[in-house]
Amino acid sequence: MTDKTTHFGARTVREDEKAGMVRTLFSDVANKYDVMNDVMSMGIHRVWKEAMMDWLAPRAGQRLLDMAGGTGDVSFKFLKRAGQAHATVCDLTEGMLIEGRKRAEAAQMADHLDWVVGDAMNLPFDDNSFDVYTISFGIRNVTRPQEALNEAYRVLRPGGRLMVLEFSQLPNPMMQKAYDLYSFNVIPRMGQVIANDRDSYQYLVESIRNFPDQETFLDMVRAAGFEQAKYRNLTMGIAALHSGWKL
């Protein structure tokens, strides 16, 4: 038990409660997760993930840890681009991994894929095990994101690359206000209509607003030990890509 608190959407909860709440939420939405991403981003998340691959430039022989990898779409993109490589999809929620293994790409790439249940703050992998660590729309759900970044640094080999794709903040206050109006008023309603699940969508919108802005998160990447840390805004800052190297 702990008296320390954190955010779960707009709610304040004990830190030791959050992981279970996140696991329950994503277990409930696992079979709708890909639809959820389309709704949350109006389908643009697919373009953002391709932009992440463009910057990452996967190469043959690399080993990827795709944390909060869910149904595996980032790992599939990585393997298609890298050719002969290996990806480990790691997620807190077993139900998400089960849904991922059902996808056609998973069967086609089975020899190059592992599916592992694990916590981003306490990874079940040895030091210096991976060449690339990605986490897409997952780090804002971690109880202590700094610990997740520290763990990413630990499991990456020297010369390894971190890349974080996450919803972020628009630099223009008026644009941010307009986007907030859309997010809070439209997305939960769409969740109710499409997935019969308003509460999960409401949480996800709230979690975006509680996540650090681009510069603050860049400082966190550096604090974990990563060098040459940079970020790129996507779609005016609705999302951002953060990159860093373990040198």
Side-chain angles (χ1 to χ4, degrees):
M1 298 287 287
T2 178
D3 293 328
K4 292 184 179 179
T5 60
T6 186
H7 293 288
F8 183 79
R11 296 165 55 190
T12 298
V13 300
R14 290 203 319 267
E15 282 192 349
D16 57 7
E17 294 178 322
K18 182 169 180 176
M21 297 169 77
V22 168
R23 188 183 295 110
T24 297
L25 184 152
F26 283 98
S27 295
D28 291 343
V29 303
N31 63 346
K32 312 162 196 157
Y33 183 70
D34 294 319
V35 173
M36 177 180 285
N37 275 344
D38 283 329
V39 171
M40 289 281 288
S41 69
M42 296 179 288
I44 300 172
H45 76 98
R46 301 173 187 273
V47 176
W48 293 339
K49 288 170 182 171
E50 292 296 344
M52 179 168 68
M53 289 297 122
D54 288 344
W55 198 9
L56 187 58
R59 302 190 307 276
Q62 289 184 319
R63 296 185 66 86
L64 165 71
L65 174 58
D66 182 21
M67 189 61 222
T71 57
D73 54 342
V74 169
S75 288
F76 301 152
K77 292 178 186 297
F78 177 87
L79 290 173
K80 286 175 182 176
R81 294 217 191 187
Q84 292 297 312
H86 190 277
T88 297
V89 185
C90 187
D91 201 282
L92 185 66
T93 306
E94 186 175 14
M96 295 287 287
L97 302 176
I98 291 170
E99 289 299 318
R101 284 195 291 262
K102 294 178 183 177
R103 294 176 60 170
E105 298 99 322
Q108 295 164 6
M109 303 174 183
D111 291 344
H112 303 279
L113 273 170
D114 290 326
W115 304 82
V116 178
V117 177
D119 185 336
M121 298 187 299
N122 186 22
L123 293 172
F125 307 110
D126 293 336
D127 296 357
N128 307 316
S129 297
F130 298 94
D131 303 294
V132 182
Y133 175 111
T134 57
I135 182 166
S136 304
F137 306 116
I139 200 161
R140 75 180 188 280
N141 299 315
V142 175
T143 304
R144 295 182 294 277
Q146 186 66 63
E147 290 186 19
L149 292 171
N150 297 346
E151 276 289 271
Y153 188 88
R154 179 184 68 79
V155 301
L156 280 170
R157 295 169 178 157
R161 181 92 178 269
L162 165 81
M163 190 156 284
V164 181
L165 172 59
E166 188 53 86
F167 289 110
S168 199
Q169 311 292 329
L170 278 74
N172 182 297
M174 292 301 295
M175 292 173 63
Q176 182 65 54
K177 185 175 180 180
Y179 180 63
D180 284 346
L181 284 171
Y182 163 77
S183 298
F184 282 95
N185 291 289
V186 177
I187 290 177
R189 293 177 187 174
M190 293 174 72
Q192 181 64 44
V193 171
I194 294 170
N196 194 32
D197 188 348
R198 182 187 181 94
D199 290 346
S200 295
Y201 287 75
Q202 184 72 32
Y203 158 75
L204 290 168
V205 170
E206 291 168 353
S207 70
I208 293 168
R209 294 284 68 81
N210 286 322
F211 192 70
D213 64 21
Q214 290 91 322
E215 290 290 341
T216 303
F217 189 70
L218 186 65
D219 288 341
M220 294 170 66
V221 171
R222 290 172 174 148
F226 290 99
E227 299 184 40
Q228 298 182 16
K230 301 175 182 177
Y231 72 86
R232 295 177 179 178
N233 282 330
L234 302 174
T235 315
M236 301 175 291
I238 291 175
L241 269 172
H242 283 76
S243 168
W245 296 85
K246 179 177 178 176
L247 299 177

